[in-house]
Amino acid sequence: MMKSPTPHLNCPSCHTPVVLDRYDRACTVANTYLVCPECDYTFLFEGVLDGTLSRISEPS
């Protein structure tokens, strides 16, 4: 029996494929953000779901 693939998401900044569970989460009252563990790029999680991305910080 074949295992189902682990969901990956390519970082929109460094383009590294990262397992979704490795992204750090940053939350405000209104939004949830993902933080790339490779380059610290922060983007709106809802933007991933609907195809738009909102940048909130520059990579370090």
Side-chain angles (χ1 to χ4, degrees):
M1 176 181 249
M2 186 178 217
K3 260 179 29 173
S4 54
T6 306
H8 284 73
L9 177 66
N10 286 358
C11 173
S13 179
C14 69
H15 307 287
T16 303
V18 179
V19 175
L20 199 52
D21 292 343
R22 283 194 57 222
Y23 280 93
D24 291 323
R25 304 308 199 268
C27 300
T28 65
V29 174
N31 296 309
T32 301
Y33 299 90
L34 295 178
V35 182
C36 177
E38 301 296 325
C39 70
D40 292 330
Y41 180 77
T42 305
F43 55 97
L44 186 61
F45 180 64
E46 288 78 12
V48 171
L49 299 177
D50 67 11
T52 62
L53 292 174
S54 295
R55 181 180 211 152
I56 65 164
S57 68
E58 291 293 321
S60 302

